[in-house]
Amino acid sequence: SSTSSHEHFLNIHQLDDFFDIIHPLGFLHIDVEGWEAKVLTGASKLLTTPADTIESSQCYILAETFNQKEAQRRGAGFSQTHEEDILKVMSSFSFIRGKDVVDGERNMFFARLNNQPPGLLVATAS
């Protein structure tokens, strides 16, 4: 009997690899099943480089999140501190935290308005 083996290759890019195409970034919705903090880390240049004008400096981010119980349900490979991981990454950028957006899933909302100074992450009740 013969068995066939299929190899699949996947090219992975950071959002910063597309900086020249998408800067300034106005809106980003991240739903990558537990890898949201990694995506944000790979967008650090996009999220820290000032825009040319005040109008284009506004940026809004939705990042899907889930609680520890849901992380445990999803099993190995998923961070058990998913929300905290996102907050840790976002704390290095000039964004404020708004109210979560719930559309069947919970999304953390962040906004940068008019060239805020670095380190202005303010958490609000969800």
Side-chain angles (χ1 to χ4, degrees), residues 25-64:
L25 186 64
F27 179 78
L28 180 61
H29 181 201
I30 308 169
D31 183 350
V32 289
E33 301 306 317
W35 296 93
E36 287 75 9
K38 299 284 188 188
V39 169
L40 289 164
T41 299
S44 61
K45 182 178 175 184
L46 276 167
L47 299 176
T48 58
T49 303
D52 295 335
T53 65
I54 289 177
E55 293 80 21
S56 62
S57 69
Q58 296 179 9
C59 180
Y60 305 94
I61 297 174
L62 286 177
E64 180 191 30

Side-chain angles (χ1 to χ4, degrees), residues 106-123:
R106 188 165 66 92
N107 295 273
M108 298 172 79
F109 176 75
F110 300 93
R112 179 183 62 219
L113 306 171
N114 303 327
N115 289 321
Q116 293 168 183
L120 189 64
L121 181 65
V122 178

Side-chain angles (χ1 to χ4, degrees), residues 2-126:
S2 69
T3 59
S4 64
S5 173
H6 298 285
E7 290 185 10
H8 300 279
F9 296 95
L10 177 65
N11 291 323
I12 298 175
H13 295 276
Q14 297 179 6
L15 284 175
D16 283 345
D17 294 341
F18 303 99
F19 180 87
D20 293 336
I21 299 169
I22 59 177
H23 183 266
L25 186 64
F27 179 78
L28 180 61
H29 181 201
I30 308 169
D31 183 350
V32 289
E33 301 306 317
W35 296 93
E36 287 75 9
K38 299 284 188 188
V39 169
L40 289 164
T41 299
S44 61
K45 182 178 175 184
L46 276 167
L47 299 176
T48 58
T49 303
D52 295 335
T53 65
I54 289 177
E55 293 80 21
S56 62
S57 69
Q58 296 179 9
C59 180
Y60 305 94
I61 297 174
L62 286 177
E64 180 191 30
T65 189
F66 41 84
N67 60 28
Q68 188 173 9
K69 182 178 178 182
E70 177 62 16
Q72 289 171 344
R73 186 191 70 76
R74 291 176 184 229
F78 286 94
S79 170
Q80 300 302 301
T81 58
H82 187 251
E83 184 171 334
E84 291 82 8
D85 296 345
I86 293 170
L87 287 171
K88 182 178 179 182
V89 173
M90 288 303 295
S91 69
S92 63
F93 306 130
S94 302
F95 283 78
I96 58 172
R97 170 122 188 249
K99 288 190 173 194
D100 291 350
V101 175
V102 179
D103 62 354
E105 295 178 335
R106 188 165 66 92
N107 295 273
M108 298 172 79
F109 176 75
F110 300 93
R112 179 183 62 219
L113 306 171
N114 303 327
N115 289 321
Q116 293 168 183
L120 189 64
L121 181 65
V122 178
T124 61
S126 31

